[in-house]
Amino acid sequence: MTVRTDLHIHSCLSPCADEDMTPADLAGMSFINGQRLIALTDHNSARNCPAAAAAAAAYGLGFIPGMEVTTSEDIHAVCLFPDLCCALDFDGYIYRHIPDIPNRPEVFGNQVILDADGCVLGTEPRLLITGCDISILDLPGIVAGYGGVCYPAHIDREGNGLLGILGAWPPELDVRAAEVNLSFVKQQFSGGAGQNTGCGGAETGVGAGVGAEAGARAGVGAGTGAGAVAGTGAEAGVENNDRFGRFRGLIPEGARLIAASDAHRLSDLPPAGFPIELESADFSGLARWINSAR
Ligand SMILES: [Zn+2]
Ligand SMILES: [Zn+2]
C-alpha cells in the first residue's frame, strides 16, 4: 500500500525548532496533512518520542521513534527504531557520546521535554546540536545493534550533508538509503516561496558548480530545476526514484531515496508527505522496504 510519510521532523526538544513544535501538535498537524507514518528525529535525542508516540496513536497515525545524530564528521544521519524502548536505549548511548557542553537557550534556543498532554517534564541542559564522537562509518552498525536503521540526512545540502562534507559516498559506508529534502513539494503548493532550510540553515546545495551534479542541487536543493516539476506532492513522491534520479549516481546502486521535510516549525510540515510502497505503515514495513533494496 502507498503510505504517505514524513520521516524527519523536529520537536521543541531541538534547540533550533520552534517551541510550538510540541509532540502533540506536530502529530496532529501531520495527520491533518494526510501523513500516515511519521518519525520524530530530534538532534541527538529521542526523549520527546514517548509523547509523540502517544499523540500519534491517538490519531491512528503510524509513528517511528527516531533521532538525527550529528556524527564526529558533523554529518547528520537519520536513525529510526522499532519501538520506544530501543530508541530510548540508544538515546542513553548517544548521550554518553556527545560533549558535555551546556546549552545556552538565549543563543541556541530551548530544549523542552514534554509529556503526551503537553506538560513540561523538563529542559535538557546539555547542548544537543554538537557532534558526537561516533563516525558516520561506525554509526550504522551501532544503530543496528539497537534494532534500528540509519541513513544520511539531507544529502542535497552542503552543511551537515554527507556529500557536502565528504565530497562523495564512502564505499565502506554500508547503508541502503539516503534522504533528500522534501521542501520543493511544499514550494509547489505555496507558489515557490519559503524553502525549508532546516537545521542546516540557509545553504547552497550539493554539487553547485560541479558540472552535472549542479542539476541535482537545482532540482532538490533549490527547487528550481528539473526535479521540481509541477504536480502534487504525491506524484512527486510516487515517482521518487525517477524524480530524484540525479542523486542515483551519488549514492550506492539500488539504495532507496527518501524525501522528508526536516520540519522545525508547524508551517514546515508538508501538505503532502512522501509516498512509499510499504507492506505496513510502521518501522518493520519501512525496514523491509529499505532492506529489499539490497
Ligand atoms: Zn540535519
Ligand atoms: Zn533535521
Side-chain angles (χ1 to χ4, degrees):
M1 61 179 166
T2 302
V3 177
R4 289 192 175 193
T5 68
D6 189 1
L7 301 175
H8 186 158
I9 301 174
H10 293 267
S11 79
C12 50
L13 178 53
S14 293
C16 42
D18 277 3
E19 290 193 30
D20 61 1
M21 281 294 265
T22 67
D25 282 356
L26 69 86
M29 186 65 77
S30 294
F31 178 76
I32 290 169
N33 284 347
Q35 268 58 275
R36 290 298 172 264
L37 180 64
I38 65 169
L40 179 60
T41 54
D42 281 310
H43 292 292
N44 288 341
S45 181
R47 294 176 66 190
N48 265 346
C49 285
Y59 288 105
L61 173 63
F63 178 76
I64 298 176
M67 182 188 300
E68 183 177 23
V69 167
T70 304
T71 71
S72 58
E73 303 92 344
D74 269 339
I75 295 168
H76 286 182
V78 170
C79 305
L80 303 175
F81 298 92
D83 55 40
L84 287 171
C85 188
C86 294
L88 293 173
D89 283 350
F90 181 75
D91 175 275
Y93 174 85
I94 286 295
Y95 202 76
R96 296 191 294 275
H97 287 266
I98 59 175
D100 187 11
I101 298 173
N103 182 31
R104 294 175 60 194
E106 73 280 10
V107 175
F108 300 108
N110 287 311
Q111 303 178 148
V112 185
I113 304 167
L114 299 174
D115 69 12
D117 297 321
C119 297
V120 176
L121 296 176
T123 57
E124 170 53 52
R126 186 179 294 187
L127 183 60
L128 293 172
I129 55 173
T130 54
C132 67
D133 62 3
I134 302 165
S135 165
I136 187 66
L137 299 179
D138 296 327
L139 187 63
I142 294 168
V143 171
Y146 289 85
V149 297
C150 82
Y151 47 85
H154 43 67
I155 62 169
D156 51 305
R157 289 194 189 140
E158 290 275 358
N160 304 119
L162 177 138
L163 298 177
I165 288 180
L166 298 184
W169 189 288
E172 59 271 46
L173 178 60
D174 185 24
V175 302
R176 303 301 300 169
E179 182 206 84
V180 294
N181 195 270
L182 190 58
S183 60
F184 74 92
V185 173
K186 179 183 174 187
Q187 290 178 330
Q188 291 165 16
F189 284 85
S190 63
Q195 180 188 2
N196 169 27
T197 54
C199 43
E203 300 158 352
T204 56
V206 168
V210 192
E213 291 183 5
R217 175 201 62 80
V220 177
T224 56
V229 302
T232 67
E235 290 168 347
V238 166
E239 301 174 14
N240 65 82
N241 283 338
D242 292 325
R243 192 76 73 213
F244 304 141
R246 294 173 189 274
F247 279 97
R248 281 186 164 176
L250 304 176
I251 69 173
E253 187 175 354
R256 302 293 194 185
L257 275 167
I258 298 170
S261 74
D262 194 10
H264 283 64
R265 51 196 69 82
L266 289 172
S267 59
D268 291 339
L269 292 168
F274 180 68
I276 307 176
E277 286 296 321
L278 300 179
E279 295 175 16
S280 56
D282 54 17
F283 173 84
S284 65
L286 181 74
R288 280 197 294 274
W289 178 73
I290 291 174
N291 291 329
S292 68
R294 290 183 181 275

